[in-house]
Amino acid sequence: MKQQSPSKEVLCRELYTKTGYVFAKSPAEIAAASGFDEVAMLGSNENPYPPSPAVLEAAAAALAAANRYPDPKAGEFVAALRRYICDHPVVTSGLGMDGVIETVIRALVSPGEKVVVSTPTFSMYGLAARAASAVVVNVPRAADFSVDVDAFIAAAADAKLSFLCTPNNPTGTVTRAADIERILSGISGVLFLDNAYVEFCDTDYLPLLQKYDNLIIGRTLSKVYGLAGLRVGYGFVPAWLEGPYAAAATPFTLNRVSEAAAVAAVADTAYRDTFIAHVRKWRETFVREIPFPVLASGANFVLFDVAPMTSNEAMEAFARAGVLVRSCASFPGLGETFVRVSVGDVWENERFLAAVKRL
Ligand SMILES: *Cc1c(COP(=O)(O)O)cnc(C)c1O
């Protein structure tokens, strides 16, 4: 008879048996439980509309050449970014901005070195830094979720790499460009500015790239451009980082289909601008009509406080009403009572507003 042996799970790093990325609950699970055919998908800050016909056509055409490796430098995408967004050294990732974050950490940070994160925020910075055996230092935001600039500078002054998200996920908070500038001149290392939602706000951080050679701006096609399913991210980086980033990256970052789609998406400014206008309009409606304290947001979502209910209780109540929102209980430093809701399609937003008023 086979001997009962202890589980080989002990071979895994404890980091991955005990923690990991928390995904939004699957809509299929919720739909099945709630009896709705279609669930309002307002939990992941996606664009609710499919890519434009130009993007679908470009992607389909690229698929026909899938037998060939893609361009390792994603040259056409880089050219499109430099033409349509900012003429500055740029790096790309076929694993979304998540992949840019991982590669930047790999290029800069050795085991045991300090990585500073402004919290509460997106979990990926801490997860990727710990995966690289870095020491993560969290710097809490003020009570209104604005960045405590002095505390951030004090913690980050001697760190090689620090992370700040603006507009911040999940609070929606926009940090003033002047505050970012003060941080950039107050630290000796690199600041990674996560601009996943920047297209939805009024602040432009790109001019800072001209002035500071310790700034990385991370961006994504997952939100405003509607390509979350293709995993395309990019970053504007100082020129000195371009070579080491390429050396640290997994080869062939974008694939042929995602690159072709991304080039067409960036060129389709009408699709982007229409969605931005839709988000701004509905974001105001959400702030006005949600009968709970709501934070001002520069993103395509808002955060509201359902106390004395907990965020998990509220999320389940929304699910029963056919609406998928994000319970923010998993964001360290945020407490147990915040819910994040994305701006979706009109019927989704209306179903959400009806549900939140009955909560
Ligand atoms: C969605 C998101 C990203 C990255 O998304 P990708 O799909 O990996 O490009 C990065 N940062 C924040 C704050 C996000 O919310």
Side-chain angles (χ1 to χ4, degrees):
M1 222 173 69
K2 194 164 177 264
Q3 277 244 279
Q4 194 65 36
S5 59
S7 164
K8 289 285 188 294
E9 190 181 283
V10 294
L11 297 176
C12 299
R13 294 172 71 191
E14 203 169 281
L15 185 62
Y16 296 122
T17 56
K18 299 252 159 44
T19 61
Y21 192 87
V22 179
F23 290 94
K25 212 168 177 183
S26 116
E29 276 171 73
I30 306 231
S34 64
F36 284 89
D37 288 341
E38 259 197 308
V39 173
M41 303 256 293
L42 306 181
S44 297
N45 303 336
E46 295 148 329
N47 187 322
Y49 304 112
S52 68
V55 170
L56 298 179
E57 219 170 278
L63 192 54
N67 55 310
R68 299 292 178 194
Y69 279 107
D71 172 5
K73 294 189 166 156
E76 285 183 26
F77 180 48
V78 168
L81 292 171
R82 295 189 71 152
R83 171 162 173 216
Y84 287 99
I85 315 244
C86 180
D87 190 12
H88 189 83
V90 59
V91 296
T92 61
S93 163
L95 292 171
M97 195 206 303
D98 292 348
V100 178
I101 292 165
E102 281 180 337
T103 308
V104 164
I105 290 174
R106 212 186 289 165
L108 294 179
V109 181
S110 298
E113 290 183 335
K114 176 162 86 169
V115 169
V116 172
V117 179
S118 169
T119 58
T121 196
F122 192 52
S123 65
M124 189 62 199
Y125 324 124
L127 292 173
R130 276 186 283 270
S133 303
V135 177
V136 178
V137 175
N138 291 327
V139 183
R141 287 170 175 252
D144 65 353
F145 299 120
S146 63
V147 175
D148 181 339
V149 174
D150 293 317
F152 191 82
I153 291 174
D158 61 344
K160 256 192 191 168
L161 181 61
S162 43
F163 286 91
L164 196 153
C165 186
T166 175
N168 186 39
N169 181 3
T171 61
T173 318
V174 177
T175 303
R176 294 182 312 150
D179 287 340
I180 300 302
E181 201 159 355
R182 199 146 75 78
I183 290 170
L184 288 167
S185 31
I187 63 173
S188 55
V190 172
L191 178 69
F192 187 108
L193 198 66
D194 183 327
N195 273 179
Y197 301 97
V198 75
E199 294 89 348
F200 303 109
C201 81
D202 295 316
T203 306
D204 183 6
Y205 303 96
L206 293 172
L208 297 176
L209 290 166
Q210 312 305 321
K211 219 169 140 189
Y212 295 93
D213 68 352
N214 61 341
L215 171 64
I216 298 172
I217 292 184
R219 292 206 178 192
T220 176
L221 271 69
S222 297
K223 310 285 158 59
V224 70
Y225 290 102
L227 294 185
L230 286 183
R231 316 300 306 117
V232 182
Y234 64 97
F236 292 112
V237 299
W240 58 262
L241 184 59
E242 244 188 323
Y245 181 99
T250 305
F252 302 111
T253 54
L254 297 194
N255 64 59
R256 280 181 178 274
V257 176
S258 61
E259 183 179 10
V263 169
V266 166
D268 194 345
T269 51
Y271 173 95
R272 180 196 66 195
D273 293 344
T274 304
F275 183 56
I276 292 172
H278 171 86
V279 164
R280 285 174 175 268
K281 179 182 145 228
W282 278 99
R283 187 170 68 195
E284 269 181 44
T285 308
F286 279 10
V287 170
R288 201 174 53 235
E289 294 197 15
I290 292 173
F292 294 94
V294 190
L295 268 80
S297 170
N300 63 340
F301 56 82
V302 299
L303 188 73
F304 57 101
D305 187 350
V306 295
M309 211 181 297
T310 68
S311 21
N312 286 332
E313 286 165 355
M315 180 185 69
E316 281 161 27
F318 279 116
R320 287 192 296 272
V323 180
L324 189 60
V325 296
R326 178 69 191 261
S327 155
C328 291
S330 68
F331 286 84
L334 194 59
E336 302 283 309
T337 62
F338 283 97
V339 170
R340 191 190 69 196
V341 61
S342 321
V343 171
D345 198 351
V346 175
W347 70 267
E348 296 177 300
N349 301 339
E350 285 171 350
R351 188 189 284 179
F352 161 73
L353 283 174
V356 76
K357 288 169 188 170
R358 286 197 309 266
L359 205 61

